[in-house]
Amino acid sequence: PAAFCGVVGYKPSFGRVPYYPNGADRLAHQGPIAATVADAALLGQVIAGPHPTDPDSGLGSLDSPRDMRSLRIGWIEYEGTDPEIRRVTEAARDVLLDEGHLVEEVQVRCHNLYPAVVDILAATEAAGTRPEDEELIDPGRLHVVRHGRTLSGVAVIQAEEIRQNLRATLRSVMDDYDLLAMATVPVEPFDAGAIGPDWAADVRDLLWLAWAPASYPYNMTGQPAASLPAGLTSSGLPAGVQLVGPVGADDLVLTVARRLEAMLPPLPQPPAAPPVAASTGTTGERTF
């Protein structure tokens, strides 16, 4: 995630940027990762718009609220948030308050949400994977595919009903708030070679997304989100804060993200990598 890397990630509203080939799960969003919010917003403008290969593409942008100086922001803290992540991201919350915005804690509950996203994704992965290709598949993905093969059509429709309930719940929440804000990921970054923290590391448990409860819900609803660096934990690891808006409110999300970015202290620059000696190479070889 962008939050683990100290960079900006922008997930446009579903349909704002064409996605091809289309995913039957209607969860995937195309969006930029960049060093700054301004860069992400600029690239987002370049890649947005309708395209004939994606019938869902072409979504425009909603008008921003008239008074941008005093927005209603719902702050969500997901269960299991690491104390260090809370400490870092609360600084971003304080900045929003100092800017004059109304920030209130809000809880969004949807029963069986994680099992539903697992079933939707697993059914899609199983539908797109031939049995003869299973020996080539990463072990973690293979467990997802095999779980998908066990699902009935009824189970998939029940998962879709949970998604629709989430959409209705969040639409109701967004009637009261201009934006939602939260830690992008409630845990500190884990080893690059792991699929999750220790409690989610066994691929058989199908918890490969459970450590990111602030990410997949907004893929399920199609809402725009922007993650930006909030600071470093005591271990020197980056943490991110995420802003989420109603579907189509991309400009609002990015405008507030730019302002928040300007008010937060920048992350220290990583040490420069040692120079790599160029190789002379021979015909057919490439030097980087």
Side-chain angles (χ1 to χ4, degrees), residues 69 90-103 259 263:
R69 297 169 298 178
E90 280 184 349
R93 178 179 180 173
D94 291 342
V95 168
L96 293 170
L97 286 167
D98 291 343
E99 287 285 284
H101 303 305
L102 173 66
V103 182
R259 179 63 180 167
M263 300 298 291

Side-chain angles (χ1 to χ4, degrees), residues 117-170:
V117 74
V118 168
D119 286 355
I120 293 170
L121 284 170
T124 303
E125 292 289 331
T129 304
R130 300 179 304 176
E132 57 266 32
D133 293 334
E134 289 189 2
E135 63 181 18
L136 305 174
I137 296 176
D138 172 87
R141 182 170 178 267
L142 181 57
H143 280 281
V144 175
V145 169
R146 288 178 173 171
H147 173 67
R149 297 197 193 287
T150 70
L151 297 170
S152 67
V154 171
V156 176
I157 292 298
Q158 288 172 335
E160 286 289 352
E161 288 177 346
I162 291 172
R163 188 217 298 251
Q164 296 305 320
N165 290 337
L166 176 66
R167 292 181 63 194
T169 297
L170 279 167

